[in-house]
Amino acid sequence: MTGDQIETFMRVPKQRVASFLARSGWQLLPKERSETVWTIRSGERVGLCTVCDGAREGFDVGLDPFDLYCPVHEDPVASLVYPPRGKPGAEAVVRALCSAGRMTPEELLNALTLERRDEAHLYLNSRPFDFPVRAEEYEEAIHDLFEILRLCYDCAGAEQGDDAVTYSDVVFAAPDHVMLSFGRPYVEETGEAADRVRALSRQAAEQLATTLRWLHSSERDRSVVRQYATGELVLEEVVAPEDFRSDAGPERALWDVLDTFRHRTAALAHWRFDWGWDVA
């Protein structure tokens, strides 16, 4: 982390940082306790929780039904003070946000300063675009990625003649990192057409986020909790990943192209969405 990065963070409008904190799962303590302390709880569950998955769901797991507090998933796992006091405080905030969000300072600052577009950052589990690379592989990947963009806008309701998709783009950021951009007009551009582009672009990005989430659904997403006669809690899968696939339309086509990309080019290790700000 550099001094320039800390100074950039300190220049980001406070309201923007506060919105980012809330969107990322951070919660401000009640005003009677503090007006600057934010905390975040664990968002992940590894295995089954006796309280959250057991007692709260009505299973007999030997717990007091009137005391169902779960320290594992309800106690804060991190805290920070925002707005901070001075550069040391700002550095502490950046470190806390990067740790909780598994981001680099550069990625965090991009999310906080991004304007007039949303970005989907796809991190691949291999380096298919590392030199040397066959032109045919680039051509196939470029075709799939632009088709993904087009279908996202189709899912959002774009019609023939809409120019929303012309604001979008694909960037090869690294041999294992592809960025899809959903651009929007300048705030100064007013009128029904500009407003429609803004709405379509955000909806297109949200459609991609939703499809990726279901395409890579976890076992917990596809399962319900059961209890054996022995008292053991287990996850029982009731749907397959393909059950989230739409029967027809652009939603199904988007699923299929994403599936083709991960099998023909590279699977996704993880992904991140940065939601841009509209400013004058």
Side-chain angles (χ1 to χ4, degrees), residues 241-258:
E242 294 75 19
D243 292 326
F244 296 114
R245 179 176 178 239
S246 297
D247 293 332
E251 292 82 7
R252 173 166 178 161
L254 176 59
W255 176 292
D256 290 343
V257 176
L258 284 167

Side-chain angles (χ1 to χ4, degrees), residues 112-160:
L112 291 172
T113 60
L114 186 65
E115 297 176 354
R116 290 183 43 250
R117 67 181 184 274
D118 301 321
E119 293 178 350
H121 293 265
L122 311 182
Y123 296 87
L124 312 178
N125 67 354
S126 62
R127 298 170 63 87
F129 309 119
D130 205 356
F131 294 125
V133 61
R134 294 172 56 244
E136 182 181 357
E137 295 178 4
Y138 258 124
E139 183 180 5
E140 291 174 346
I142 290 171
H143 172 271
D144 288 344
L145 290 167
F146 275 104
E147 185 69 1
I148 289 168
L149 278 175
R150 184 187 68 80
L151 288 167
C152 285
Y153 281 92
D154 285 352
C155 293
E159 300 174 351
Q160 188 173 5

Side-chain angles (χ1 to χ4, degrees), residues 27 29 33 39-45 49 51-52 56 67-78:
Q27 294 180 320
L29 288 183
R33 296 177 60 187
T39 63
I40 192 170
R41 299 173 179 174
S42 173
E44 298 182 358
R45 292 191 195 175
C49 174
V51 178
C52 302
R56 289 182 183 171
D67 183 17
L68 298 182
Y69 181 80
C70 178
V72 175
H73 298 112
E74 294 186 89
D75 280 354
V77 296

Side-chain angles (χ1 to χ4, degrees), residues 5-276:
Q5 289 174 325
I6 299 303
E7 291 177 2
T8 299
F9 174 76
M10 296 178 69
R11 289 195 296 268
V12 177
K14 291 181 174 59
Q15 184 178 5
R16 185 180 296 190
V17 176
S19 296
F20 175 83
L21 286 168
R23 190 167 62 202
S24 301
W26 293 83
Q27 294 180 320
L28 189 61
L29 288 183
K31 287 189 176 181
E32 61 269 18
R33 296 177 60 187
S34 174
E35 294 187 355
T36 59
V37 175
W38 298 72
T39 63
I40 192 170
R41 299 173 179 174
S42 173
E44 298 182 358
R45 292 191 195 175
V46 178
L48 290 172
C49 174
T50 305
V51 178
C52 302
D53 298 308
R56 289 182 183 171
E57 297 300 322
F59 295 110
D60 183 5
V61 290
L63 296 179
D64 182 354
F66 299 102
D67 183 17
L68 298 182
Y69 181 80
C70 178
V72 175
H73 298 112
E74 294 186 89
D75 280 354
V77 296
S79 63
L80 58 82
V81 175
Y82 188 84
R85 294 182 179 179
K87 292 185 67 173
E91 181 177 349
V93 172
V94 172
R95 291 190 183 280
L97 290 176
C98 289
S99 176
R102 300 176 182 176
M103 308 168 70
T104 65
E106 183 179 3
E107 291 170 342
L108 172 64
L109 292 176
N110 184 73
L112 291 172
T113 60
L114 186 65
E115 297 176 354
R116 290 183 43 250
R117 67 181 184 274
D118 301 321
E119 293 178 350
H121 293 265
L122 311 182
Y123 296 87
L124 312 178
N125 67 354
S126 62
R127 298 170 63 87
F129 309 119
D130 205 356
F131 294 125
V133 61
R134 294 172 56 244
E136 182 181 357
E137 295 178 4
Y138 258 124
E139 183 180 5
E140 291 174 346
I142 290 171
H143 172 271
D144 288 344
L145 290 167
F146 275 104
E147 185 69 1
I148 289 168
L149 278 175
R150 184 187 68 80
L151 288 167
C152 285
Y153 281 92
D154 285 352
C155 293
E159 300 174 351
Q160 188 173 5
D162 284 326
D163 62 351
V165 72
T166 63
Y167 286 84
S168 63
D169 202 2
V170 173
V171 175
F172 292 89
D176 58 352
H177 177 193
V178 177
M179 187 267 286
L180 305 184
S181 174
F182 300 81
R184 300 191 290 272
Y186 285 99
V187 173
E188 293 83 359
E189 297 183 45
T190 59
E192 183 176 342
D195 289 342
R196 178 169 172 77
V197 170
R198 294 187 186 97
L200 287 173
S201 293
R202 173 54 61 89
Q203 291 168 19
E206 291 173 342
Q207 179 65 49
L208 178 59
T210 298
T211 306
L212 284 173
R213 184 169 64 251
W214 291 123
L215 183 64
H216 298 82
S217 59
S218 67
E219 181 186 9
R220 183 176 288 274
D221 293 327
R222 304 188 300 271
S223 304
V224 296
V225 179
R226 304 289 192 198
Q227 186 175 36
Y228 289 154
T230 59
E232 179 188 4
L233 298 176
V234 295
L235 280 177
E236 180 179 307
E237 190 166 301
V238 293
V239 295
E242 294 75 19
D243 292 326
F244 296 114
R245 179 176 178 239
S246 297
D247 293 332
E251 292 82 7
R252 173 166 178 161
L254 176 59
W255 176 292
D256 290 343
V257 176
L258 284 167
D259 194 42
T260 297
F261 179 83
R262 68 173 178 170
H263 285 100
R264 182 164 64 182
T265 301
L268 301 187
H270 65 279
W271 61 87
R272 183 185 91 250
F273 279 79
D274 291 340
W275 306 99

